[in-house]
Coordinates of all heavy atoms in Angstrom, one line a residue:
E672 N 24.5 57.4 12.3 CA 25.4 58.5 11.9 C 25.8 58.3 10.4 O 26.2 57.2 10.0 CB 26.7 58.4 12.8 CG 27.6 59.6 12.5 CD 28.8 59.5 13.5 OE1 28.5 59.3 14.7 OE2 29.9 59.7 13.0
K673 N 25.7 59.4 9.7 CA 26.0 59.3 8.3 C 27.5 59.8 8.0 O 28.0 60.6 8.8 CB 25.1 60.2 7.5 CG 23.7 59.8 7.5 CD 22.8 60.6 6.5 CE 22.8 62.1 6.9 NZ 22.0 62.9 6.0
N674 N 28.1 59.2 7.0 CA 29.5 59.6 6.7 C 29.4 60.4 5.4 O 30.0 60.1 4.4 CB 30.3 58.4 6.4 CG 30.7 57.7 7.7 OD1 30.8 58.3 8.8 ND2 30.8 56.4 7.7
T675 N 28.7 61.5 5.5 CA 28.5 62.4 4.3 C 29.0 63.8 4.8 O 29.0 64.2 5.9 CB 27.1 62.5 3.8 OG1 26.2 62.9 4.9 CG2 26.7 61.1 3.3
W676 N 29.2 64.7 3.8 CA 29.6 66.0 4.0 C 28.5 66.8 4.7 O 27.4 66.8 4.2 CB 30.0 66.7 2.7 CG 30.3 68.1 2.7 CD1 29.5 69.1 2.1 CD2 31.4 68.8 3.2 NE1 30.1 70.3 2.3 CE2 31.3 70.1 3.0 CE3 32.6 68.3 3.9 CZ2 32.2 71.1 3.4 CZ3 33.5 69.2 4.3 CH2 33.3 70.6 4.0
E677 N 28.8 67.5 5.8 CA 27.9 68.3 6.5 C 28.5 69.6 6.7 O 29.5 69.7 7.5 CB 27.5 67.6 7.8 CG 26.7 68.5 8.7 CD 25.4 69.0 8.1 OE1 24.6 68.2 7.6 OE2 25.2 70.2 8.1
A678 N 28.1 70.6 6.0 CA 28.8 71.9 6.0 C 28.3 72.9 7.1 O 28.8 74.0 7.2 CB 28.5 72.6 4.7
S679 N 27.4 72.4 8.0 CA 26.9 73.4 9.0 C 27.9 73.9 10.0 O 27.8 74.9 10.6 CB 25.7 72.7 9.8 OG 26.2 71.6 10.5
E680 N 29.0 73.1 10.3 CA 30.0 73.5 11.2 C 31.3 74.0 10.6 O 32.3 74.1 11.3 CB 30.3 72.4 12.2 CG 29.0 72.1 13.1 CD 29.3 71.0 14.1 OE1 30.4 71.1 14.8 OE2 28.5 70.2 14.3
V681 N 31.3 74.2 9.3 CA 32.5 74.6 8.6 C 32.6 76.1 8.7 O 31.6 76.8 8.8 CB 32.4 74.2 7.1 CG1 33.5 74.7 6.2 CG2 32.3 72.7 7.0
F682 N 33.9 76.6 8.6 CA 34.1 78.1 8.6 C 33.2 78.7 7.6 O 33.1 78.2 6.4 CB 35.5 78.4 8.4 CG 36.4 78.0 9.5 CD1 37.5 77.1 9.2 CD2 36.3 78.4 10.8 CE1 38.3 76.7 10.2 CE2 37.1 78.0 11.8 CZ 38.2 77.1 11.5
P683 N 32.5 79.8 7.8 CA 31.6 80.4 6.9 C 32.2 80.6 5.5 O 31.5 80.3 4.5 CB 31.2 81.7 7.5 CG 31.4 81.5 9.0 CD 32.5 80.5 9.1
K684 N 33.4 81.2 5.4 CA 33.9 81.5 4.1 C 34.3 80.2 3.3 O 34.1 80.2 2.1 CB 35.2 82.4 4.2 CG 34.9 83.8 4.6 CD 36.1 84.6 4.7 CE 35.8 86.1 5.1 NZ 37.0 86.9 5.2
W685 N 34.7 79.2 4.0 CA 35.1 77.9 3.4 C 33.8 77.3 2.9 O 33.7 76.7 1.8 CB 35.8 77.0 4.4 CG 36.4 75.8 3.8 CD1 35.7 74.6 3.7 CD2 37.6 75.6 3.2 NE1 36.6 73.7 3.1 CE2 37.7 74.3 2.8 CE3 38.7 76.5 2.9 CZ2 38.8 73.8 2.1 CZ3 39.8 76.0 2.3 CH2 39.9 74.6 1.9
K686 N 32.7 77.3 3.7 CA 31.4 76.8 3.3 C 30.9 77.5 2.1 O 30.4 76.8 1.2 CB 30.4 76.9 4.5 CG 29.1 76.3 4.2 CD 28.1 76.3 5.3 CE 28.1 77.4 6.3 NZ 27.1 77.3 7.3
E687 N 31.1 78.7 2.0 CA 30.6 79.5 0.8 C 31.4 79.1 -0.4 O 30.9 78.9 -1.5 CB 30.7 81.0 1.1 CG 30.2 81.9 0.0 CD 30.4 83.3 0.3 OE1 30.1 83.7 1.5 OE2 30.9 84.1 -0.5
K688 N 32.7 79.0 -0.3 CA 33.6 78.8 -1.4 C 33.5 77.3 -1.9 O 33.7 77.0 -3.0 CB 35.0 79.2 -1.0 CG 35.9 79.3 -2.2 CD 37.3 79.9 -1.8 CE 38.1 80.1 -3.0 NZ 39.4 80.8 -2.6
Y689 N 33.3 76.4 -0.9 CA 33.3 75.0 -1.2 C 32.1 74.3 -0.7 O 32.1 73.6 0.4 CB 34.6 74.3 -0.6 CG 35.9 74.9 -1.1 CD1 36.6 75.8 -0.3 CD2 36.3 74.7 -2.4 CE1 37.7 76.4 -0.7 CE2 37.5 75.2 -2.8 CZ 38.2 76.1 -2.0 OH 39.3 76.7 -2.4
P690 N 30.9 74.5 -1.3 CA 29.7 73.9 -0.8 C 29.8 72.3 -0.9 O 29.2 71.6 -0.1 CB 28.6 74.4 -1.8 CG 29.3 74.9 -2.9 CD 30.7 75.3 -2.5
Q691 N 30.6 71.8 -1.8 CA 30.9 70.4 -1.8 C 32.4 70.2 -1.4 O 33.2 71.0 -1.8 CB 30.7 69.8 -3.2 CG 29.2 69.8 -3.6 CD 28.4 68.9 -2.7 OE1 28.8 67.8 -2.3 NE2 27.3 69.5 -2.2
P692 N 32.7 69.3 -0.6 CA 34.0 69.2 -0.1 C 35.1 68.8 -1.1 O 34.9 67.9 -1.9 CB 33.9 68.0 1.0 CG 32.8 67.2 0.5 CD 31.9 68.1 -0.2
P693 N 36.2 69.5 -1.2 CA 37.3 69.1 -2.1 C 38.0 67.9 -1.4 O 38.1 67.8 -0.2 CB 38.2 70.3 -2.1 CG 37.9 71.1 -0.8 CD 36.4 70.8 -0.5
D694 N 38.3 66.9 -2.2 CA 38.9 65.7 -1.7 C 40.4 65.9 -1.6 O 41.2 65.6 -2.5 CB 38.6 64.5 -2.6 CG 39.1 63.2 -2.0 OD1 39.6 63.2 -0.9 OD2 38.9 62.2 -2.7
L695 N 40.9 66.5 -0.5 CA 42.3 66.9 -0.4 C 43.2 65.7 0.0 O 44.4 65.7 -0.3 CB 42.4 67.9 0.7 CG 41.7 69.2 0.5 CD1 41.8 70.1 1.7 CD2 42.2 69.9 -0.7
I696 N 42.6 64.7 0.6 CA 43.4 63.5 1.0 C 43.3 62.4 0.0 O 44.3 61.7 -0.3 CB 43.0 63.0 2.4 CG1 43.1 64.1 3.4 CG2 43.7 61.8 2.8 CD1 44.5 64.6 3.7
G697 N 42.1 62.1 -0.5 CA 41.9 60.9 -1.3 C 42.2 61.0 -2.8 O 42.0 60.0 -3.5
V698 N 42.5 62.2 -3.2 CA 42.7 62.4 -4.6 C 43.8 61.5 -5.2 O 44.8 61.3 -4.5 CB 43.0 63.9 -4.9 CG1 44.3 64.3 -4.5 CG2 42.8 64.2 -6.4
R699 N 43.6 61.0 -6.4 CA 44.5 60.1 -7.0 C 45.4 60.9 -8.0 O 45.3 62.1 -8.2 CB 43.8 59.0 -7.8 CG 42.9 58.2 -6.9 CD 43.7 57.3 -6.0 NE 42.8 56.5 -5.1 CZ 43.0 56.4 -3.9 NH1 44.0 56.9 -3.3 NH2 42.2 55.7 -3.1
R700 N 46.3 60.1 -8.6 CA 47.3 60.8 -9.6 C 46.6 61.1 -10.9 O 47.0 60.5 -12.0 CB 48.5 59.8 -9.8 CG 49.3 59.7 -8.6 CD 50.5 58.8 -8.9 NE 51.3 58.7 -7.7 CZ 52.5 58.2 -7.6 NH1 53.1 57.8 -8.8 NH2 53.1 58.1 -6.5
I701 N 45.6 61.9 -10.9 CA 45.0 62.3 -12.1 C 45.2 63.8 -12.2 O 44.5 64.6 -11.5 CB 43.5 62.0 -12.1 CG1 43.3 60.5 -12.0 CG2 42.8 62.5 -13.4 CD1 41.9 60.0 -11.7
Y702 N 46.1 64.2 -13.0 CA 46.4 65.7 -13.0 C 45.8 66.4 -14.2 O 46.3 67.4 -14.6 CB 48.0 65.8 -13.1 CG 48.6 65.1 -11.9 CD1 49.5 64.1 -12.0 CD2 48.3 65.6 -10.6 CE1 50.1 63.5 -11.0 CE2 48.9 64.9 -9.5 CZ 49.8 63.9 -9.7 OH 50.4 63.3 -8.6
T703 N 44.7 66.0 -14.6 CA 43.9 66.8 -15.7 C 43.4 68.0 -15.0 O 43.1 68.0 -13.8 CB 42.8 65.9 -16.3 OG1 41.9 65.6 -15.3 CG2 43.3 64.7 -17.0
R704 N 43.2 69.0 -15.7 CA 42.8 70.3 -15.2 C 41.4 70.2 -14.4 O 41.3 70.7 -13.3 CB 42.7 71.3 -16.3 CG 42.3 72.7 -15.8 CD 42.3 73.7 -17.0 NE 42.1 75.0 -16.5 CZ 43.0 75.9 -16.1 NH1 44.3 75.5 -16.0 NH2 42.7 77.1 -15.7
E705 N 40.5 69.5 -15.0 CA 39.1 69.4 -14.4 C 39.1 68.6 -13.1 O 38.3 68.9 -12.2 CB 38.1 68.8 -15.3 CG 38.4 67.5 -16.0 CD 39.2 67.6 -17.3 OE1 39.4 68.7 -17.8 OE2 39.7 66.6 -17.7
V706 N 40.1 67.7 -12.9 CA 40.2 66.9 -11.7 C 41.1 67.6 -10.7 O 40.8 67.8 -9.5 CB 40.7 65.5 -11.9 CG1 41.0 64.7 -10.6 CG2 39.7 64.7 -12.7
D707 N 42.2 68.1 -11.1 CA 43.2 68.6 -10.2 C 43.0 70.0 -9.8 O 43.4 70.4 -8.7 CB 44.6 68.5 -10.9 CG 45.8 68.7 -10.0 OD1 45.8 68.0 -8.9 OD2 46.6 69.5 -10.2
Q708 N 42.5 70.9 -10.7 CA 42.4 72.3 -10.4 C 41.6 72.6 -9.1 O 42.1 73.4 -8.3 CB 41.8 73.0 -11.6 CG 41.9 74.5 -11.5 CD 43.3 75.0 -11.7 OE1 44.2 74.4 -12.2 NE2 43.5 76.2 -11.2
P709 N 40.4 72.0 -8.9 CA 39.7 72.3 -7.6 C 40.4 71.9 -6.4 O 40.4 72.6 -5.4 CB 38.4 71.5 -7.8 CG 38.2 71.2 -9.2 CD 39.6 71.2 -9.8
V710 N 41.1 70.7 -6.5 CA 41.9 70.2 -5.3 C 43.1 71.2 -5.1 O 43.4 71.5 -3.9 CB 42.3 68.8 -5.6 CG1 43.2 68.3 -4.5 CG2 41.1 67.9 -5.7
L711 N 43.7 71.5 -6.1 CA 44.9 72.4 -6.0 C 44.5 73.7 -5.4 O 45.2 74.2 -4.4 CB 45.5 72.7 -7.4 CG 46.7 73.7 -7.4 CD1 47.9 73.2 -6.6 CD2 47.0 73.9 -8.9
K712 N 43.4 74.4 -5.8 CA 43.0 75.7 -5.3 C 42.6 75.5 -3.9 O 42.9 76.4 -3.0 CB 41.8 76.2 -6.2 CG 42.3 76.6 -7.6 CD 43.3 77.7 -7.5 CE 43.7 78.1 -8.9 NZ 44.8 79.0 -8.9
A713 N 41.9 74.5 -3.5 CA 41.4 74.3 -2.1 C 42.6 74.1 -1.2 O 42.7 74.6 -0.1 CB 40.5 73.1 -2.0
N714 N 43.6 73.3 -1.7 CA 44.8 73.0 -0.9 C 45.6 74.3 -0.7 O 46.1 74.6 0.4 CB 45.7 72.0 -1.5 CG 46.7 71.5 -0.6 OD1 46.5 70.8 0.4 ND2 48.0 71.8 -0.9
Q715 N 45.7 75.1 -1.7 CA 46.4 76.4 -1.6 C 45.7 77.3 -0.6 O 46.4 78.0 0.2 CB 46.5 77.1 -3.0 CG 47.4 76.4 -3.9 CD 47.4 77.0 -5.3 OE1 46.4 77.6 -5.7 NE2 48.4 76.7 -6.1
A716 N 44.4 77.3 -0.6 CA 43.6 78.1 0.4 C 43.9 77.6 1.8 O 44.0 78.4 2.7 CB 42.1 78.1 0.1
L717 N 43.9 76.3 2.0 CA 44.2 75.7 3.3 C 45.6 76.1 3.8 O 45.7 76.6 4.9 CB 44.1 74.2 3.2 CG 43.9 73.4 4.5 CD1 42.6 73.8 5.1 CD2 44.0 72.0 4.2
V718 N 46.6 76.0 2.9 CA 48.0 76.3 3.3 C 48.1 77.8 3.6 O 48.8 78.2 4.5 CB 48.9 75.9 2.2 CG1 50.3 76.4 2.4 CG2 49.0 74.3 2.1
K719 N 47.4 78.6 2.8 CA 47.5 80.1 3.0 C 46.9 80.5 4.4 O 47.3 81.5 4.9 CB 46.6 80.7 1.9 CG 46.9 82.2 1.7 CD 46.1 82.6 0.5 CE 46.4 83.9 0.0 NZ 45.6 84.3 -1.2
S720 N 46.0 79.7 4.9 CA 45.4 80.0 6.2 C 46.3 79.7 7.4 O 46.0 80.1 8.5 CB 44.0 79.3 6.3 OG 44.2 77.9 6.6
I721 N 47.4 79.0 7.2 CA 48.3 78.7 8.3 C 49.3 79.9 8.5 O 50.0 80.3 7.6 CB 49.1 77.4 7.9 CG1 48.2 76.2 7.7 CG2 50.1 77.1 9.1 CD1 49.0 75.0 7.1
P722 N 49.3 80.4 9.7 CA 50.3 81.5 10.0 C 51.7 81.0 9.7 O 52.0 79.8 10.0 CB 50.1 81.8 11.4 CG 48.7 81.3 11.7 CD 48.5 80.1 10.9
M723 N 52.6 81.9 9.3 CA 54.0 81.6 8.9 C 54.7 80.8 10.0 O 55.4 79.8 9.7 CB 54.7 82.8 8.6 CG 56.1 82.5 8.0 SD 56.1 81.5 6.6 CE 55.8 82.7 5.3
E724 N 54.5 81.1 11.3 CA 55.3 80.5 12.4 C 54.9 79.0 12.6 O 55.5 78.3 13.2 CB 55.1 81.2 13.7 CG 53.7 81.4 14.2 CD 53.0 82.6 13.8 OE1 53.4 83.2 12.8 OE2 52.1 83.0 14.5
Y725 N 53.7 78.6 11.9 CA 53.3 77.2 12.0 C 53.5 76.4 10.7 O 53.1 75.2 10.7 CB 51.8 77.1 12.4 CG 51.6 77.8 13.8 CD1 51.1 79.0 13.9 CD2 51.9 77.1 15.0 CE1 50.9 79.6 15.1 CE2 51.7 77.6 16.2 CZ 51.2 78.9 16.3 OH 50.9 79.5 17.5
K726 N 54.1 77.0 9.8 CA 54.3 76.3 8.5 C 55.1 75.0 8.5 O 54.9 74.1 7.7 CB 54.9 77.2 7.4 CG 54.0 78.4 7.1 CD 53.0 78.1 6.0 CE 52.3 79.4 5.7 NZ 51.2 79.2 4.8
N727 N 56.0 74.9 9.5 CA 56.8 73.7 9.6 C 56.4 72.8 10.7 O 57.2 72.0 11.2 CB 58.3 74.1 9.7 CG 58.9 74.5 8.4 OD1 58.6 73.9 7.4 ND2 59.7 75.5 8.4
S728 N 55.2 72.8 11.2 CA 54.7 72.0 12.3 C 54.9 70.5 12.1 O 55.2 69.8 13.1 CB 53.2 72.3 12.6 OG 53.1 73.6 13.0
I729 N 54.7 70.0 10.9 CA 54.8 68.6 10.7 C 56.3 68.1 11.0 O 56.5 67.1 11.6 CB 54.4 68.2 9.3 CG1 54.1 66.7 9.2 CG2 55.4 68.6 8.2 CD1 53.3 66.3 8.0
R730 N 57.2 68.9 10.6 CA 58.6 68.6 10.9 C 58.9 68.6 12.4 O 59.5 67.7 12.9 CB 59.6 69.5 10.2 CG 60.2 69.0 9.0 CD 61.2 69.9 8.4 NE 60.9 69.8 6.9 CZ 61.2 70.8 6.1 NH1 61.7 71.9 6.5 NH2 60.9 70.7 4.8
E731 N 58.4 69.6 13.0 CA 58.7 69.8 14.5 C 58.0 68.6 15.3 O 58.6 68.2 16.2 CB 58.2 71.1 15.0 CG 58.9 72.3 14.4 CD 58.3 73.6 14.7 OE1 57.4 73.7 15.5 OE2 58.7 74.6 14.0
H732 N 56.8 68.2 14.9 CA 56.1 67.2 15.6 C 56.6 65.8 15.3 O 56.5 64.9 16.2 CB 54.6 67.3 15.3 CG 53.9 68.4 16.1 ND1 54.0 69.7 15.6 CD2 53.3 68.4 17.2 CE1 53.3 70.5 16.4 NE2 52.9 69.7 17.4
L733 N 57.1 65.6 14.1 CA 57.5 64.2 13.7 C 59.0 63.9 13.8 O 59.4 62.8 13.7 CB 57.0 63.9 12.3 CG 55.5 63.9 12.1 CD1 55.1 63.6 10.7 CD2 54.9 62.8 13.0
F734 N 59.8 64.9 13.9 CA 61.2 64.7 13.8 C 61.7 63.7 14.9 O 61.4 63.9 16.1 CB 62.0 66.0 14.0 CG 63.4 65.9 13.6 CD1 63.7 66.0 12.2 CD2 64.4 65.7 14.5 CE1 65.1 65.9 11.8 CE2 65.8 65.6 14.1 CZ 66.1 65.7 12.7
G735 N 62.3 62.6 14.5 CA 62.8 61.6 15.4 C 61.8 60.5 15.8 O 62.1 59.5 16.3
V736 N 60.5 60.7 15.4 CA 59.5 59.8 15.7 C 59.5 58.7 14.7 O 59.5 58.9 13.5 CB 58.1 60.4 15.7 CG1 57.0 59.4 16.0 CG2 58.0 61.5 16.8
N737 N 59.6 57.4 15.1 CA 59.6 56.3 14.2 C 60.7 56.4 13.1 O 60.4 56.1 11.9 CB 58.3 56.0 13.6 CG 57.3 55.5 14.7 OD1 57.7 54.8 15.6 ND2 56.0 55.8 14.5
G738 N 61.8 57.0 13.4 CA 62.8 57.2 12.4 C 62.6 58.3 11.4 O 63.3 58.4 10.4
F739 N 61.7 59.2 11.6 CA 61.5 60.3 10.7 C 62.5 61.4 11.0 O 62.6 61.9 12.1 CB 60.1 60.9 10.9 CG 59.8 62.1 10.0 CD1 59.4 61.9 8.7 CD2 60.0 63.4 10.5 CE1 59.2 63.0 7.9 CE2 59.8 64.5 9.6 CZ 59.3 64.3 8.3
F740 N 63.3 61.7 9.9 CA 64.3 62.7 10.1 C 64.3 63.7 8.9 O 65.3 64.3 8.5 CB 65.7 62.1 10.2 CG 65.9 61.3 11.4 CD1 65.9 59.9 11.4 CD2 66.1 62.0 12.6 CE1 66.0 59.2 12.6 CE2 66.2 61.3 13.8 CZ 66.2 59.9 13.8
G741 N 63.1 63.9 8.3 CA 62.9 64.8 7.3 C 62.3 64.2 6.0 O 62.1 63.0 6.0
L742 N 62.0 65.1 5.1 CA 61.4 64.6 3.8 C 62.5 64.6 2.8 O 63.4 65.4 2.7 CB 60.3 65.6 3.4 CG 59.2 65.8 4.4 CD1 58.3 67.0 4.1 CD2 58.3 64.5 4.5
K743 N 62.3 63.7 1.9 CA 63.3 63.6 0.7 C 62.5 64.0 -0.5 O 61.4 63.5 -0.8 CB 63.8 62.1 0.6 CG 64.6 61.7 1.8 CD 65.1 60.3 1.6 CE 65.9 59.9 2.8 NZ 66.4 58.6 2.8
M744 N 63.1 64.8 -1.3 CA 62.5 65.4 -2.5 C 62.2 64.3 -3.5 O 61.1 64.4 -4.2 CB 63.4 66.5 -3.1 CG 63.5 67.7 -2.3 SD 61.9 68.5 -1.9 CE 61.6 69.2 -3.5
E745 N 63.0 63.3 -3.7 CA 62.8 62.4 -4.8 C 61.5 61.5 -4.5 O 61.0 61.0 -5.5 CB 64.0 61.5 -5.0 CG 64.3 60.4 -3.9 CD 65.3 60.9 -2.9 OE1 65.8 62.0 -2.9 OE2 65.6 60.1 -2.0
G746 N 61.1 61.4 -3.3 CA 59.9 60.6 -3.1 C 58.6 61.4 -3.1 O 57.5 60.8 -3.0
L747 N 58.7 62.7 -3.2 CA 57.5 63.5 -3.2 C 56.7 63.6 -4.5 O 57.4 63.7 -5.5 CB 57.8 64.9 -2.7 CG 58.3 65.1 -1.3 CD1 58.6 66.5 -1.0 CD2 57.2 64.6 -0.3
T748 N 55.4 63.5 -4.4 CA 54.6 63.7 -5.6 C 53.6 64.8 -5.2 O 53.5 65.2 -4.0 CB 53.7 62.4 -5.9 OG1 52.9 62.2 -4.8 CG2 54.6 61.2 -6.2
P749 N 52.9 65.4 -6.2 CA 52.0 66.5 -5.8 C 51.0 66.0 -4.7 O 50.6 66.7 -3.8 CB 51.3 66.8 -7.1 CG 52.3 66.5 -8.1 CD 53.0 65.3 -7.6
N750 N 50.5 64.7 -4.9 CA 49.5 64.2 -3.9 C 50.1 64.1 -2.5 O 49.5 64.4 -1.5 CB 48.9 62.9 -4.4 CG 48.0 63.1 -5.6 OD1 47.5 64.2 -5.8 ND2 47.8 62.1 -6.3
K751 N 51.3 63.5 -2.4 CA 52.0 63.4 -1.1 C 52.3 64.7 -0.5 O 52.1 64.9 0.7 CB 53.3 62.6 -1.2 CG 53.0 61.1 -1.5 CD 54.4 60.4 -1.6 CE 54.2 58.9 -1.9 NZ 55.5 58.2 -2.0
T752 N 52.6 65.7 -1.3 CA 52.9 67.0 -0.8 C 51.6 67.6 -0.2 O 51.6 68.2 0.8 CB 53.5 67.9 -1.9 OG1 54.7 67.3 -2.4 CG2 53.8 69.3 -1.4
R753 N 50.5 67.5 -1.0 CA 49.2 68.0 -0.5 C 48.8 67.4 0.8 O 48.3 68.0 1.7 CB 48.2 67.9 -1.6 CG 48.5 68.8 -2.8 CD 47.5 68.6 -3.9 NE 48.0 69.3 -5.1 CZ 47.5 69.1 -6.3 NH1 46.5 68.3 -6.4 NH2 48.0 69.7 -7.3
R754 N 49.0 66.1 0.9 CA 48.6 65.4 2.1 C 49.4 65.9 3.3 O 48.9 66.0 4.4 CB 48.8 63.9 1.9 CG 47.7 63.3 1.0 CD 47.9 61.8 0.8 NE 46.9 61.3 -0.2 CZ 47.2 60.6 -1.3 NH1 48.5 60.2 -1.5 NH2 46.3 60.2 -2.1
A755 N 50.7 66.1 3.1 CA 51.6 66.6 4.1 C 51.1 68.0 4.5 O 51.1 68.4 5.7 CB 53.0 66.6 3.7
Q756 N 50.7 68.8 3.5 CA 50.2 70.2 3.8 C 48.9 70.1 4.6 O 48.7 70.9 5.5 CB 50.0 71.0 2.6 CG 51.4 71.3 1.9 CD 51.2 71.8 0.5 OE1 50.3 71.5 -0.2 NE2 52.2 72.6 0.1
C757 N 48.1 69.2 4.3 CA 46.8 69.0 5.1 C 47.1 68.6 6.5 O 46.5 69.1 7.5 CB 45.9 67.9 4.4 SG 45.2 68.5 2.9
A758 N 48.1 67.7 6.7 CA 48.5 67.2 8.0 C 49.1 68.4 8.8 O 48.8 68.6 10.0 CB 49.5 66.1 7.9
N759 N 49.8 69.3 8.1 CA 50.4 70.4 8.8 C 49.3 71.4 9.2 O 49.3 71.9 10.3 CB 51.3 71.2 7.8 CG 52.2 72.1 8.5 OD1 52.9 71.8 9.5 ND2 52.3 73.3 8.0
W760 N 48.2 71.5 8.4 CA 47.1 72.4 8.8 C 46.4 71.8 10.1 O 46.0 72.5 11.0 CB 46.1 72.5 7.7 CG 45.0 73.4 8.0 CD1 44.9 74.8 7.9 CD2 43.7 73.1 8.6 NE1 43.7 75.3 8.4 CE2 43.0 74.2 8.8 CE3 43.1 71.8 8.9 CZ2 41.7 74.2 9.3 CZ3 41.9 71.8 9.5 CH2 41.2 73.0 9.7
L761 N 46.2 70.5 10.1 CA 45.6 69.8 11.2 C 46.4 70.0 12.5 O 45.8 70.3 13.6 CB 45.4 68.3 11.0 CG 44.3 68.0 10.0 CD1 44.4 66.5 9.6 CD2 42.9 68.3 10.5
L762 N 47.7 69.9 12.4 CA 48.6 70.2 13.5 C 48.4 71.6 14.0 O 48.4 71.9 15.2 CB 50.0 69.9 13.2 CG 50.4 68.4 13.1 CD1 51.8 68.3 12.5 CD2 50.3 67.7 14.4
F763 N 48.4 72.6 13.1 CA 48.1 74.0 13.4 C 46.8 74.2 14.1 O 46.7 74.8 15.1 CB 48.3 74.9 12.2 CG 47.5 76.2 12.3 CD1 48.0 77.2 13.2 CD2 46.4 76.4 11.6 CE1 47.3 78.4 13.4 CE2 45.7 77.6 11.8 CZ 46.2 78.6 12.6
Y764 N 45.8 73.6 13.5 CA 44.4 73.9 14.0 C 44.1 73.3 15.3 O 43.3 73.8 16.1 CB 43.4 73.3 12.9 CG 42.0 73.7 13.3 CD1 41.5 75.0 13.2 CD2 41.1 72.7 13.8 CE1 40.2 75.3 13.5 CE2 39.8 73.0 14.1 CZ 39.4 74.3 14.0 OH 38.1 74.7 14.3
R765 N 44.7 72.1 15.6 CA 44.4 71.4 16.9 C 44.7 72.3 18.1 O 44.3 72.4 19.1 CB 45.1 70.1 17.0 CG 46.6 70.2 17.1 CD 47.2 68.9 17.4 NE 48.6 69.0 17.5 CZ 49.3 69.3 18.6 NH1 48.7 69.4 19.7 NH2 50.6 69.5 18.6

């Protein structure tokens, strides 16, 4: 089994728009336009695909688990925010 991008089972529009996978989780703190722009746009598309009633799924699923009682603004970075948004999409999609 290979650990490489395989687009055959990806949603058709996503496959067309992103023939190479955007690194939504592993991206580092490099906010130059050429590095950050593709990730930002892909993340925005992912978040846009979540229906409004599921936008806060991460809070609903994690509240009270292992001492989680919400997010604090001072600890958030763009990368942490994007990772949380990806987790929210996974909770919606499952």
Side-chain angles (χ1 to χ4, degrees):
E672 184 177 317
K673 296 188 298 183
N674 289 327
T675 58
W676 173 249
E677 173 54 56
S679 63
E680 295 184 42
V681 176
F682 294 120
K684 288 183 181 179
W685 189 267
K686 181 172 37 176
E687 181 182 315
K688 194 169 186 176
Y689 304 102
Q691 292 300 312
D694 189 1
L695 299 173
I696 302 294
V698 70
R699 302 286 180 226
R700 292 182 181 195
I701 302 170
Y702 301 118
T703 61
R704 185 176 184 86
E705 53 274 352
V706 171
D707 193 53
Q708 192 71 19
V710 175
L711 174 64
K712 293 297 181 189
N714 192 69
Q715 288 172 339
L717 197 66
V718 170
K719 196 176 192 180
S720 71
I721 303 171
M723 187 57 84
E724 62 267 23
Y725 297 101
K726 296 275 185 186
N727 284 320
S728 293
I729 197 165
R730 259 187 221 151
E731 293 170 14
H732 284 83
L733 293 180
F734 196 81
V736 176
N737 291 329
F739 179 83
F740 292 104
L742 302 169
K743 295 181 180 177
M744 293 300 290
E745 72 264 4
L747 292 179
T748 65
N750 291 338
K751 286 182 182 178
T752 302
R753 291 176 193 167
R754 289 179 186 129
Q756 290 168 332
C757 289
N759 198 49
W760 183 86
L761 289 170
L762 289 168
F763 157 68
Y764 185 73
R765 67 171 178 92

